[in-house]
Amino acid sequence: MKIEQILKQHISKAFQTLFDNELRVDEISLQPTRKEFAGTYTLVCFPFGKISKKNPEETAKIIGEHLEQSTAEVKGYNVVKGFLNLEIADNEWVNVIRTISNQIDFGQLPESGKEVMVEYSSPNTNKPLHLGHLRNNFLGYSIAEIMKANGHKVHKVQIINDRGIHICKSMLAWKRYGNGETPESSGKKGDKLVGDYYVKFDQEYKKEIAELVEKGLSKDDAEKKAPIILEAQEMLLKWEQKEPEVYSLWKKMNGWVYDGFGATYMQMGVDFDKLYYESNTYLLGKDVVEQGLKKEVFFKKEDGSVWVDLTDDGLDEKLLLRADGTSVYMTQDIGTAIERFKDFPKLSQQIYTVGNEQEYHFKVLFLILKKLGYSWAEENYHLSYGMVDLPSGKMKSREGTVVDADDLMKEMLDTSAAHTKELGKIEGFSEKEANELYETLGLGALKYFLLKVDPKKRMLFDPQESIQFHGNTGPFIQYSHARISAILRKAKELGFEPKKEHFDSVTVLAPTEVGVIYLLSEFENKIKEAGREYSPSIIAQYIYDLAKEYNRFYQEVSIFNEEDEDKLHFRIAFSKSVALAIKKGMSLLGIRVPERM
RNA sequence: GCACUCGUAGUUCAACUGGAUAGAAUACCGGAUUUCGGCUCCGGGGGUUGAGGGUUCGAAUCCUUCCGAGUGCACCA
């Protein structure tokens, strides 16, 4: 059992004995003791005044004294104001390492029986992926990994926005101005090529509008009557009727985009278990709306359009079906959500990784699903994240200030390659190994930088700072791991395989050792917390603290110069546990760690 | 206009969900180590937590009023 749990039980019992009071274990909260005081766990005693009928300081003393006398775990205590700081016996910490060394997969919680779906990425096929998508993808992937570590079964999915007027725009522009250009003929990545024609459409559209305005039309009229937009609308109708020529062009161009995106996802190191295509799902939801009408959850207006009234819940009325019977975004999302629970009947939760500008949309969506009587609706979660700003300000595609995902990743790889070569520590690496390392480092830096910030918060992406290899960065942690790996390699060469039966004589630890072991004992708590809060940043912060604390130990305590062989064995086992925690923690962020760098 | 989110060292981020003298990183200044691995470690300065008021033994955190930033309020997706 965990030290923290044992302590809580002791405290509960102490309350029984000392004050004849029932204090449940789950009512007790222990917090880490601040660095400047002795001890590891702190019990805040201010609230107990009523129970003990004494002031907080005396209360703390009584409890501390009792725990020190009656338990093996508490070796000492001190009281500052109403704070009771408890010092734990060193052999308890040794035990923690013994337990971890015995564990097969440290950092993996037992199966929960819960099954969750994580949706992320879901791009528009007209626009190549950019920095904002990177935050989305890394977040979604990481949350999926964190859910797995919490013992849940996970399905990673995305919905691909592959139909609608915007798709017809790029198709039309390609048809008009493309001269048969293909990714092969131009050497462009498929998604970039299609994106270019989307931009081209917009340019031509604006030209036509300007011409019409010159001829005396109002701007609104011009926007509606420009030939190019009329043609695009016609194309959409043809697409819906699956007219062969339009349909095959659609398939061809989408194919290019998927190839392009595929390459980008590969580079990012993210993947999906199942893809949903809007072209398959856009008709879903209509029958649900019909059912909702019958149940009088929704209502019809005079013109025949269908609405839901959410004013009682502090929201607005929301349109679900147009007067002509066609559906809107919300309708599709309702249908898709229900479809997914049909696809995976044991699903208990969906997590949608979507930017915070859609918070209102998801609030409405979940509320509608709840009103329709779906019990899982309340479990659904919008993993909302803030925008990524650049030092120059907001990213705006119109002003060309967008940071392209492919370009950025390439830059990170180049920088890490240059940096690594400069250090000259990788002699003996094959070219393939070296390239893998650059990728591990470059992407690690990028992912860590984007994930260390609380997802809810808007963040600033500074390209200069993100490529740094020291401070609170991915490479710093990767470096710490590589160094421990070096220690373990050396230990093996010298024949010091950690043997847990040797630990028994180790009874006195250095303060830095206790610091590190305390953090190790918190690993699983952090995984739970990250899952509960949907926040990879908790893991990122934790691993950084762990790496830093280990470095402190490393500086202070020598491993191989230690004469006591049991201590030496202990420190190797202890280092191994730290390496494991770093590796596992980083994998929860989708970041690999090298053995050498 | 209405709704939601946010405001913390020069800068980028934390703060265990109401706990101690608000912590890291970065940059700057000073020192240690020169090895198991160089990107390591230690110390220093730097804060009226946007401003005021309230609740509390105790507030960056909760309530309230201002000020400032952002997002949303489509028969677009």
PDB file of all heavy atoms in Angstrom, chain A residues 212-242:
ATOM      1  N   LEU A 212     -18.243  43.182 -60.667  1.00  0.00           N
ATOM      2  CA  LEU A 212     -19.686  43.391 -60.575  1.00  0.00           C
ATOM      3  C   LEU A 212     -20.026  44.681 -59.831  1.00  0.00           C
ATOM      4  O   LEU A 212     -20.945  45.404 -60.212  1.00  0.00           O
ATOM      5  CB  LEU A 212     -20.366  42.194 -59.905  1.00  0.00           C
ATOM      6  CG  LEU A 212     -20.389  40.899 -60.728  1.00  0.00           C
ATOM      7  CD1 LEU A 212     -20.932  39.758 -59.909  1.00  0.00           C
ATOM      8  CD2 LEU A 212     -21.217  41.070 -61.992  1.00  0.00           C
ATOM      9  N   VAL A 213     -19.276  44.947 -58.805  1.00  0.00           N
ATOM     10  CA  VAL A 213     -19.517  46.172 -58.039  1.00  0.00           C
ATOM     11  C   VAL A 213     -19.276  47.390 -58.932  1.00  0.00           C
ATOM     12  O   VAL A 213     -20.012  48.365 -58.892  1.00  0.00           O
ATOM     13  CB  VAL A 213     -18.616  46.222 -56.786  1.00  0.00           C
ATOM     14  CG1 VAL A 213     -18.648  47.607 -56.147  1.00  0.00           C
ATOM     15  CG2 VAL A 213     -19.073  45.172 -55.774  1.00  0.00           C
ATOM     16  N   GLU A 214     -18.260  47.268 -59.765  1.00  0.00           N
ATOM     17  CA  GLU A 214     -17.957  48.357 -60.691  1.00  0.00           C
ATOM     18  C   GLU A 214     -19.123  48.601 -61.657  1.00  0.00           C
ATOM     19  O   GLU A 214     -19.399  49.712 -62.058  1.00  0.00           O
ATOM     20  CB  GLU A 214     -16.697  48.020 -61.488  1.00  0.00           C
ATOM     21  CG  GLU A 214     -15.940  49.243 -61.938  1.00  0.00           C
ATOM     22  CD  GLU A 214     -14.449  48.964 -61.976  1.00  0.00           C
ATOM     23  OE1 GLU A 214     -13.823  48.887 -60.893  1.00  0.00           O
ATOM     24  OE2 GLU A 214     -13.930  48.794 -63.087  1.00  0.00           O
ATOM     25  N   LYS A 215     -19.789  47.500 -61.987  1.00  0.00           N
ATOM     26  CA  LYS A 215     -20.931  47.624 -62.894  1.00  0.00           C
ATOM     27  C   LYS A 215     -22.178  48.142 -62.179  1.00  0.00           C
ATOM     28  O   LYS A 215     -23.235  48.248 -62.791  1.00  0.00           O
ATOM     29  CB  LYS A 215     -21.252  46.263 -63.522  1.00  0.00           C
ATOM     30  CG  LYS A 215     -20.297  45.893 -64.643  1.00  0.00           C
ATOM     31  CD  LYS A 215     -20.657  44.525 -65.213  1.00  0.00           C
ATOM     32  CE  LYS A 215     -19.565  44.032 -66.138  1.00  0.00           C
ATOM     33  NZ  LYS A 215     -19.691  42.579 -66.369  1.00  0.00           N
ATOM     34  N   GLY A 216     -22.069  48.376 -60.869  1.00  0.00           N
ATOM     35  CA  GLY A 216     -23.177  49.007 -60.169  1.00  0.00           C
ATOM     36  C   GLY A 216     -23.934  48.117 -59.206  1.00  0.00           C
ATOM     37  O   GLY A 216     -24.879  48.561 -58.560  1.00  0.00           O
ATOM     38  N   LEU A 217     -23.523  46.848 -59.041  1.00  0.00           N
ATOM     39  CA  LEU A 217     -24.217  45.999 -58.072  1.00  0.00           C
ATOM     40  C   LEU A 217     -23.760  46.317 -56.641  1.00  0.00           C
ATOM     41  O   LEU A 217     -22.642  46.808 -56.436  1.00  0.00           O
ATOM     42  CB  LEU A 217     -23.913  44.522 -58.362  1.00  0.00           C
ATOM     43  CG  LEU A 217     -24.914  43.774 -59.252  1.00  0.00           C
ATOM     44  CD1 LEU A 217     -24.804  44.263 -60.678  1.00  0.00           C
ATOM     45  CD2 LEU A 217     -24.692  42.290 -59.169  1.00  0.00           C
ATOM     46  N   SER A 218     -24.622  46.043 -55.698  1.00  0.00           N
ATOM     47  CA  SER A 218     -24.201  46.193 -54.306  1.00  0.00           C
ATOM     48  C   SER A 218     -23.249  45.053 -53.969  1.00  0.00           C
ATOM     49  O   SER A 218     -23.221  44.034 -54.664  1.00  0.00           O
ATOM     50  CB  SER A 218     -25.414  46.136 -53.380  1.00  0.00           C
ATOM     51  OG  SER A 218     -25.887  44.813 -53.292  1.00  0.00           O
ATOM     52  N   LYS A 219     -22.510  45.223 -52.891  1.00  0.00           N
ATOM     53  CA  LYS A 219     -21.523  44.209 -52.547  1.00  0.00           C
ATOM     54  C   LYS A 219     -22.197  42.863 -52.242  1.00  0.00           C
ATOM     55  O   LYS A 219     -21.755  41.812 -52.666  1.00  0.00           O
ATOM     56  CB  LYS A 219     -20.700  44.676 -51.345  1.00  0.00           C
ATOM     57  CG  LYS A 219     -19.382  43.937 -51.266  1.00  0.00           C
ATOM     58  CD  LYS A 219     -18.480  44.400 -50.144  1.00  0.00           C
ATOM     59  CE  LYS A 219     -17.279  43.478 -50.040  1.00  0.00           C
ATOM     60  NZ  LYS A 219     -17.077  42.927 -48.705  1.00  0.00           N
ATOM     61  N   ASP A 220     -23.309  42.932 -51.507  1.00  0.00           N
ATOM     62  CA  ASP A 220     -24.047  41.716 -51.167  1.00  0.00           C
ATOM     63  C   ASP A 220     -24.502  40.981 -52.415  1.00  0.00           C
ATOM     64  O   ASP A 220     -24.345  39.766 -52.535  1.00  0.00           O
ATOM     65  CB  ASP A 220     -25.277  42.061 -50.311  1.00  0.00           C
ATOM     66  CG  ASP A 220     -24.899  42.179 -48.849  1.00  0.00           C
ATOM     67  OD1 ASP A 220     -23.694  42.076 -48.560  1.00  0.00           O
ATOM     68  OD2 ASP A 220     -25.809  42.361 -48.020  1.00  0.00           O
ATOM     69  N   ASP A 221     -25.096  41.729 -53.339  1.00  0.00           N
ATOM     70  CA  ASP A 221     -25.576  41.124 -54.581  1.00  0.00           C
ATOM     71  C   ASP A 221     -24.424  40.517 -55.367  1.00  0.00           C
ATOM     72  O   ASP A 221     -24.526  39.411 -55.897  1.00  0.00           O
ATOM     73  CB  ASP A 221     -26.294  42.174 -55.445  1.00  0.00           C
ATOM     74  CG  ASP A 221     -27.743  42.337 -55.019  1.00  0.00           C
ATOM     75  OD1 ASP A 221     -28.187  41.512 -54.188  1.00  0.00           O
ATOM     76  OD2 ASP A 221     -28.402  43.268 -55.511  1.00  0.00           O
ATOM     77  N   ALA A 222     -23.354  41.265 -55.426  1.00  0.00           N
ATOM     78  CA  ALA A 222     -22.195  40.799 -56.176  1.00  0.00           C
ATOM     79  C   ALA A 222     -21.680  39.481 -55.607  1.00  0.00           C
ATOM     80  O   ALA A 222     -21.327  38.563 -56.347  1.00  0.00           O
ATOM     81  CB  ALA A 222     -21.102  41.851 -56.153  1.00  0.00           C
ATOM     82  N   GLU A 223     -21.664  39.398 -54.299  1.00  0.00           N
ATOM     83  CA  GLU A 223     -21.186  38.165 -53.664  1.00  0.00           C
ATOM     84  C   GLU A 223     -22.069  36.976 -54.020  1.00  0.00           C
ATOM     85  O   GLU A 223     -21.602  35.856 -54.131  1.00  0.00           O
ATOM     86  CB  GLU A 223     -21.141  38.347 -52.131  1.00  0.00           C
ATOM     87  CG  GLU A 223     -19.883  39.060 -51.678  1.00  0.00           C
ATOM     88  CD  GLU A 223     -19.894  39.404 -50.198  1.00  0.00           C
ATOM     89  OE1 GLU A 223     -20.829  38.975 -49.498  1.00  0.00           O
ATOM     90  OE2 GLU A 223     -18.970  40.105 -49.760  1.00  0.00           O
ATOM     91  N   LYS A 224     -23.350  37.261 -54.182  1.00  0.00           N
ATOM     92  CA  LYS A 224     -24.273  36.167 -54.489  1.00  0.00           C
ATOM     93  C   LYS A 224     -24.272  35.821 -55.978  1.00  0.00           C
ATOM     94  O   LYS A 224     -24.559  34.702 -56.350  1.00  0.00           O
ATOM     95  CB  LYS A 224     -25.692  36.554 -54.067  1.00  0.00           C
ATOM     96  CG  LYS A 224     -25.915  36.360 -52.570  1.00  0.00           C
ATOM     97  CD  LYS A 224     -27.290  36.859 -52.155  1.00  0.00           C
ATOM     98  CE  LYS A 224     -27.365  37.068 -50.658  1.00  0.00           C
ATOM     99  NZ  LYS A 224     -28.355  38.067 -50.271  1.00  0.00           N
ATOM    100  N   LYS A 225     -23.993  36.808 -56.817  1.00  0.00           N
ATOM    101  CA  LYS A 225     -24.173  36.581 -58.251  1.00  0.00           C
ATOM    102  C   LYS A 225     -22.894  36.366 -59.041  1.00  0.00           C
ATOM    103  O   LYS A 225     -22.935  36.204 -60.259  1.00  0.00           O
ATOM    104  CB  LYS A 225     -24.954  37.762 -58.848  1.00  0.00           C
ATOM    105  CG  LYS A 225     -26.403  37.704 -58.406  1.00  0.00           C
ATOM    106  CD  LYS A 225     -27.229  38.814 -58.980  1.00  0.00           C
ATOM    107  CE  LYS A 225     -28.658  38.714 -58.480  1.00  0.00           C
ATOM    108  NZ  LYS A 225     -29.406  39.972 -58.638  1.00  0.00           N
ATOM    109  N   ALA A 226     -21.771  36.384 -58.386  1.00  0.00           N
ATOM    110  CA  ALA A 226     -20.521  36.149 -59.117  1.00  0.00           C
ATOM    111  C   ALA A 226     -20.597  34.784 -59.785  1.00  0.00           C
ATOM    112  O   ALA A 226     -20.963  33.805 -59.143  1.00  0.00           O
ATOM    113  CB  ALA A 226     -19.339  36.220 -58.159  1.00  0.00           C
ATOM    114  N   PRO A 227     -20.269  34.709 -61.071  1.00  0.00           N
ATOM    115  CA  PRO A 227     -20.408  33.450 -61.805  1.00  0.00           C
ATOM    116  C   PRO A 227     -19.680  32.283 -61.126  1.00  0.00           C
ATOM    117  O   PRO A 227     -20.180  31.163 -61.107  1.00  0.00           O
ATOM    118  CB  PRO A 227     -19.771  33.758 -63.163  1.00  0.00           C
ATOM    119  CG  PRO A 227     -19.842  35.229 -63.303  1.00  0.00           C
ATOM    120  CD  PRO A 227     -19.796  35.806 -61.929  1.00  0.00           C
ATOM    121  N   ILE A 228     -18.528  32.566 -60.579  1.00  0.00           N
ATOM    122  CA  ILE A 228     -17.717  31.463 -60.043  1.00  0.00           C
ATOM    123  C   ILE A 228     -18.396  30.804 -58.834  1.00  0.00           C
ATOM    124  O   ILE A 228     -18.339  29.594 -58.659  1.00  0.00           O
ATOM    125  CB  ILE A 228     -16.287  31.954 -59.690  1.00  0.00           C
ATOM    126  CG1 ILE A 228     -15.342  30.755 -59.545  1.00  0.00           C
ATOM    127  CG2 ILE A 228     -16.282  32.831 -58.453  1.00  0.00           C
ATOM    128  CD1 ILE A 228     -13.875  31.147 -59.508  1.00  0.00           C
ATOM    129  N   ILE A 229     -19.091  31.611 -58.031  1.00  0.00           N
ATOM    130  CA  ILE A 229     -19.746  31.020 -56.855  1.00  0.00           C
ATOM    131  C   ILE A 229     -20.999  30.262 -57.287  1.00  0.00           C
ATOM    132  O   ILE A 229     -21.328  29.216 -56.744  1.00  0.00           O
ATOM    133  CB  ILE A 229     -20.063  32.089 -55.775  1.00  0.00           C
ATOM    134  CG1 ILE A 229     -20.473  31.424 -54.447  1.00  0.00           C
ATOM    135  CG2 ILE A 229     -21.206  33.022 -56.196  1.00  0.00           C
ATOM    136  CD1 ILE A 229     -19.336  30.854 -53.701  1.00  0.00           C
ATOM    137  N   LEU A 230     -21.658  30.788 -58.313  1.00  0.00           N
ATOM    138  CA  LEU A 230     -22.835  30.079 -58.834  1.00  0.00           C
ATOM    139  C   LEU A 230     -22.428  28.714 -59.372  1.00  0.00           C
ATOM    140  O   LEU A 230     -23.093  27.707 -59.149  1.00  0.00           O
ATOM    141  CB  LEU A 230     -23.506  30.905 -59.929  1.00  0.00           C
ATOM    142  CG  LEU A 230     -24.142  32.215 -59.448  1.00  0.00           C
ATOM    143  CD1 LEU A 230     -24.684  33.017 -60.629  1.00  0.00           C
ATOM    144  CD2 LEU A 230     -25.250  31.948 -58.431  1.00  0.00           C
ATOM    145  N   GLU A 231     -21.291  28.728 -60.039  1.00  0.00           N
ATOM    146  CA  GLU A 231     -20.808  27.470 -60.613  1.00  0.00           C
ATOM    147  C   GLU A 231     -20.435  26.467 -59.523  1.00  0.00           C
ATOM    148  O   GLU A 231     -20.682  25.264 -59.629  1.00  0.00           O
ATOM    149  CB  GLU A 231     -19.600  27.747 -61.507  1.00  0.00           C
ATOM    150  CG  GLU A 231     -19.401  26.688 -62.580  1.00  0.00           C
ATOM    151  CD  GLU A 231     -18.232  27.009 -63.506  1.00  0.00           C
ATOM    152  OE1 GLU A 231     -18.034  28.201 -63.826  1.00  0.00           O
ATOM    153  OE2 GLU A 231     -17.520  26.073 -63.898  1.00  0.00           O
ATOM    154  N   ALA A 232     -19.862  26.985 -58.448  1.00  0.00           N
ATOM    155  CA  ALA A 232     -19.497  26.106 -57.332  1.00  0.00           C
ATOM    156  C   ALA A 232     -20.744  25.497 -56.704  1.00  0.00           C
ATOM    157  O   ALA A 232     -20.775  24.313 -56.348  1.00  0.00           O
ATOM    158  CB  ALA A 232     -18.704  26.884 -56.290  1.00  0.00           C
ATOM    159  N   GLN A 233     -21.771  26.311 -56.587  1.00  0.00           N
ATOM    160  CA  GLN A 233     -23.017  25.805 -56.006  1.00  0.00           C
ATOM    161  C   GLN A 233     -23.632  24.719 -56.891  1.00  0.00           C
ATOM    162  O   GLN A 233     -24.147  23.715 -56.398  1.00  0.00           O
ATOM    163  CB  GLN A 233     -24.009  26.950 -55.808  1.00  0.00           C
ATOM    164  CG  GLN A 233     -23.714  27.740 -54.541  1.00  0.00           C
ATOM    165  CD  GLN A 233     -24.326  29.136 -54.561  1.00  0.00           C
ATOM    166  OE1 GLN A 233     -24.995  29.521 -55.518  1.00  0.00           O
ATOM    167  NE2 GLN A 233     -24.084  29.886 -53.499  1.00  0.00           N
ATOM    168  N   GLU A 234     -23.532  24.959 -58.200  1.00  0.00           N
ATOM    169  CA  GLU A 234     -24.041  23.967 -59.142  1.00  0.00           C
ATOM    170  C   GLU A 234     -23.263  22.657 -58.983  1.00  0.00           C
ATOM    171  O   GLU A 234     -23.817  21.565 -59.022  1.00  0.00           O
ATOM    172  CB  GLU A 234     -23.858  24.518 -60.550  1.00  0.00           C
ATOM    173  CG  GLU A 234     -24.767  23.905 -61.583  1.00  0.00           C
ATOM    174  CD  GLU A 234     -24.393  24.446 -62.956  1.00  0.00           C
ATOM    175  OE1 GLU A 234     -24.247  25.680 -63.097  1.00  0.00           O
ATOM    176  OE2 GLU A 234     -24.220  23.623 -63.874  1.00  0.00           O
ATOM    177  N   MET A 235     -21.983  22.807 -58.768  1.00  0.00           N
ATOM    178  CA  MET A 235     -21.134  21.639 -58.609  1.00  0.00           C
ATOM    179  C   MET A 235     -21.538  20.837 -57.372  1.00  0.00           C
ATOM    180  O   MET A 235     -21.542  19.602 -57.388  1.00  0.00           O
ATOM    181  CB  MET A 235     -19.687  22.103 -58.474  1.00  0.00           C
ATOM    182  CG  MET A 235     -18.672  21.085 -58.881  1.00  0.00           C
ATOM    183  SD  MET A 235     -17.059  21.876 -58.817  1.00  0.00           S
ATOM    184  CE  MET A 235     -16.179  20.935 -60.033  1.00  0.00           C
ATOM    185  N   LEU A 236     -21.891  21.543 -56.321  1.00  0.00           N
ATOM    186  CA  LEU A 236     -22.308  20.860 -55.095  1.00  0.00           C
ATOM    187  C   LEU A 236     -23.561  20.015 -55.344  1.00  0.00           C
ATOM    188  O   LEU A 236     -23.658  18.878 -54.886  1.00  0.00           O
ATOM    189  CB  LEU A 236     -22.572  21.875 -53.977  1.00  0.00           C
ATOM    190  CG  LEU A 236     -23.015  21.283 -52.632  1.00  0.00           C
ATOM    191  CD1 LEU A 236     -21.968  20.333 -52.069  1.00  0.00           C
ATOM    192  CD2 LEU A 236     -23.309  22.378 -51.607  1.00  0.00           C
ATOM    193  N   LEU A 237     -24.491  20.582 -56.121  1.00  0.00           N
ATOM    194  CA  LEU A 237     -25.705  19.821 -56.453  1.00  0.00           C
ATOM    195  C   LEU A 237     -25.347  18.569 -57.243  1.00  0.00           C
ATOM    196  O   LEU A 237     -25.833  17.475 -56.969  1.00  0.00           O
ATOM    197  CB  LEU A 237     -26.672  20.685 -57.269  1.00  0.00           C
ATOM    198  CG  LEU A 237     -27.402  21.767 -56.475  1.00  0.00           C
ATOM    199  CD1 LEU A 237     -28.254  22.622 -57.394  1.00  0.00           C
ATOM    200  CD2 LEU A 237     -28.254  21.140 -55.372  1.00  0.00           C
ATOM    201  N   LYS A 238     -24.466  18.759 -58.227  1.00  0.00           N
ATOM    202  CA  LYS A 238     -24.028  17.613 -59.033  1.00  0.00           C
ATOM    203  C   LYS A 238     -23.357  16.561 -58.146  1.00  0.00           C
ATOM    204  O   LYS A 238     -23.514  15.365 -58.352  1.00  0.00           O
ATOM    205  CB  LYS A 238     -23.050  18.068 -60.117  1.00  0.00           C
ATOM    206  CG  LYS A 238     -23.725  18.774 -61.281  1.00  0.00           C
ATOM    207  CD  LYS A 238     -22.706  19.138 -62.339  1.00  0.00           C
ATOM    208  CE  LYS A 238     -23.371  19.907 -63.474  1.00  0.00           C
ATOM    209  NZ  LYS A 238     -22.360  20.597 -64.315  1.00  0.00           N
ATOM    210  N   TRP A 239     -22.585  17.031 -57.191  1.00  0.00           N
ATOM    211  CA  TRP A 239     -21.913  16.096 -56.288  1.00  0.00           C
ATOM    212  C   TRP A 239     -22.952  15.290 -55.508  1.00  0.00           C
ATOM    213  O   TRP A 239     -22.844  14.081 -55.370  1.00  0.00           O
ATOM    214  CB  TRP A 239     -20.997  16.845 -55.312  1.00  0.00           C
ATOM    215  CG  TRP A 239     -20.320  15.924 -54.332  1.00  0.00           C
ATOM    216  CD1 TRP A 239     -19.163  15.234 -54.550  1.00  0.00           C
ATOM    217  CD2 TRP A 239     -20.776  15.551 -53.034  1.00  0.00           C
ATOM    218  NE1 TRP A 239     -18.871  14.455 -53.463  1.00  0.00           N
ATOM    219  CE2 TRP A 239     -19.845  14.631 -52.517  1.00  0.00           C
ATOM    220  CE3 TRP A 239     -21.875  15.903 -52.251  1.00  0.00           C
ATOM    221  CZ2 TRP A 239     -19.983  14.059 -51.255  1.00  0.00           C
ATOM    222  CZ3 TRP A 239     -22.017  15.330 -50.993  1.00  0.00           C
ATOM    223  CH2 TRP A 239     -21.072  14.417 -50.498  1.00  0.00           C
ATOM    224  N   GLU A 240     -23.969  16.009 -55.036  1.00  0.00           N
ATOM    225  CA  GLU A 240     -24.982  15.312 -54.238  1.00  0.00           C
ATOM    226  C   GLU A 240     -25.720  14.283 -55.082  1.00  0.00           C
ATOM    227  O   GLU A 240     -26.167  13.255 -54.561  1.00  0.00           O
ATOM    228  CB  GLU A 240     -25.947  16.326 -53.608  1.00  0.00           C
ATOM    229  CG  GLU A 240     -25.348  16.926 -52.333  1.00  0.00           C
ATOM    230  CD  GLU A 240     -26.172  18.028 -51.708  1.00  0.00           C
ATOM    231  OE1 GLU A 240     -27.303  18.262 -52.158  1.00  0.00           O
ATOM    232  OE2 GLU A 240     -25.662  18.650 -50.754  1.00  0.00           O
ATOM    233  N   GLN A 241     -25.830  14.568 -56.374  1.00  0.00           N
ATOM    234  CA  GLN A 241     -26.466  13.586 -57.271  1.00  0.00           C
ATOM    235  C   GLN A 241     -25.449  12.553 -57.768  1.00  0.00           C
ATOM    236  O   GLN A 241     -25.761  11.717 -58.612  1.00  0.00           O
ATOM    237  CB  GLN A 241     -27.080  14.312 -58.469  1.00  0.00           C
ATOM    238  CG  GLN A 241     -28.323  15.094 -58.096  1.00  0.00           C
ATOM    239  CD  GLN A 241     -28.532  16.299 -58.996  1.00  0.00           C
ATOM    240  OE1 GLN A 241     -27.892  16.424 -60.046  1.00  0.00           O
ATOM    241  NE2 GLN A 241     -29.418  17.185 -58.583  1.00  0.00           N
ATOM    242  N   LYS A 242     -24.264  12.652 -57.252  1.00  0.00           N
ATOM    243  CA  LYS A 242     -23.180  11.749 -57.633  1.00  0.00           C
ATOM    244  C   LYS A 242     -22.946  11.711 -59.135  1.00  0.00           C
ATOM    245  O   LYS A 242     -22.729  10.650 -59.719  1.00  0.00           O
ATOM    246  CB  LYS A 242     -23.434  10.330 -57.100  1.00  0.00           C
ATOM    247  CG  LYS A 242     -23.534  10.308 -55.580  1.00  0.00           C
ATOM    248  CD  LYS A 242     -23.278   8.937 -55.020  1.00  0.00           C
ATOM    249  CE  LYS A 242     -23.274   9.031 -53.504  1.00  0.00           C
ATOM    250  NZ  LYS A 242     -23.105   7.777 -52.823  1.00  0.00           N
TER     251      LYS A 242
END
